[in-house]
Each structure stands twice: as C-alpha cells, then as structure tokens.
Amino acid sequence: MQPKPHPISLRGARKGDVRTQFAALCYRMRRGKVQILLVTSRRTKRWILPKGWPMDGKTPGASAACEAWEEAGALGRVSEVSIGAYTYAKDMGNEDFVPCLVMLYPLKVKSLKRSYPEHAERRRQWVSRKKAARMVGAADLSRLILDFEPSFAKLKT
C-alpha cells in the first residue's frame, strides 16, 4: 500500500510567489534497514536533504541527482517519479524569504566520494529514517522520510 499524500502549505504566499526546487532522498540498505543521508546547510548548519533549483536541460530527477553529488558526494540511481513534496521558506538574506515547494526524488546511493564540490562547506551523516525525521525538523518532510519505502522507488537503470 502506497502512503497517502500529505497536504502542502504555501505559508500564506500567493502561487506566483512560490519557487520550485528538487531534492534527493539519498538512501541505502544496511542489514535490511533503510538509512538516509543527511547533509548540513552551508550557512546555518541545520540537517537537510540535498536540494536546489531546476537546471536547464535536466529532468527533475536528474537535477536532484546533481544536487546529491554537489552537496553530499553521493552517486547512484535516481527515480524520475517524485515520492512527494514539502515546503519551506528559503532565507535569501536581509530578512528576505522565498516560499519553496520541493519535489522529492529517491536516489539509491551506490558510492560516496570523499572529494565533491561542496565537501569543505558541509557535513554528511547516515542515519535511520526515524532519526532523519527528527533531525530535519520540518513536519511535512519528516513524514515523507518516515513513509518512504524503497520498493516504491522507480529507479532509472
């Protein structure tokens, strides 16, 4: 049985004010259990998933996979089917926030590289789904992580 979709909040923003991002839910299996790869944000050092803006010429899943490489050094197989969406307010500095709708794409990690574009700016950590849900903080993202089942991920070969 596939999980129910969760309501999305635009936090009072008008539809035209909302920006779209793509995130990678990087995961692996260890002793039959799912582990999630989290990274720290560059500025506040909060635990997050790798995510970023759409990229010209790339599908949403491929954009999420690029973010996983740049922010976490993760390489693997990504799904082109989103497993859900969550929202957050991106701090653009000077007390300016942009509401973002983030589409989440599972990426089964095959390897982690020591050197990757943002390795000097971020930390990364493998954790259980329950711990990841607590660490990311946002309720809608936490629910997506807790509900994630690798068997539902339609990965590209």
Side-chain angles (χ1 to χ4, degrees):
M1 171 180 257
Q2 216 165 356
K4 295 187 319 189
H6 300 284
I8 294 173
S9 168
L10 299 180
R11 295 178 171 82
R14 295 184 317 258
K15 285 191 288 185
D17 295 337
V18 177
R19 300 282 309 272
T20 302
Q21 289 190 315
F22 303 124
L25 180 63
C26 299
Y27 73 96
R28 70 180 182 186
M29 300 299 295
R30 285 295 183 264
R31 296 186 192 106
K33 303 232 183 223
V34 176
Q35 290 185 328
I36 306 296
L37 182 65
L38 298 179
V39 297
T40 55
S41 64
R42 286 192 285 196
R43 209 165 40 80
T44 64
K45 303 303 179 193
R46 290 176 297 110
W47 290 103
I48 63 169
L49 296 178
K51 66 182 173 304
W53 306 111
M55 297 177 182
D56 283 341
K58 293 199 181 300
T59 64
S63 292
C66 282
E67 295 299 335
W69 160 247
E70 291 172 4
E71 296 182 10
L75 298 172
R77 291 177 33 207
V78 69
S79 174
E80 284 298 340
V81 177
S82 171
I83 59 169
Y86 65 96
T87 59
Y88 80 105
K90 180 164 182 63
D91 184 353
M92 303 299 282
N94 297 332
E95 297 183 25
D96 188 22
F97 292 88
V98 174
C100 291
L101 174 69
V102 184
M103 303 301 296
L104 187 57
Y105 295 85
L107 183 138
K108 185 172 186 178
V109 176
K110 296 292 185 193
S111 66
L112 275 183
K113 302 300 181 186
R114 283 185 190 199
S115 182
Y116 51 96
E118 297 180 15
H119 79 273
E121 302 170 80
R122 298 181 188 271
R123 290 179 31 227
R124 60 187 180 188
Q125 184 176 354
W126 284 109
V127 295
S128 69
R129 279 185 287 200
K130 283 184 180 179
K131 188 167 185 179
R134 285 193 309 271
M135 290 169 73
V136 297
D140 47 355
L141 176 55
S142 294
R143 178 59 35 209
L144 289 168
I145 290 170
L146 287 171
D147 289 348
F148 174 66
E149 286 296 334
S151 60
F152 295 137
K154 295 178 180 7
L155 302 174
K156 289 172 66 175
T157 55

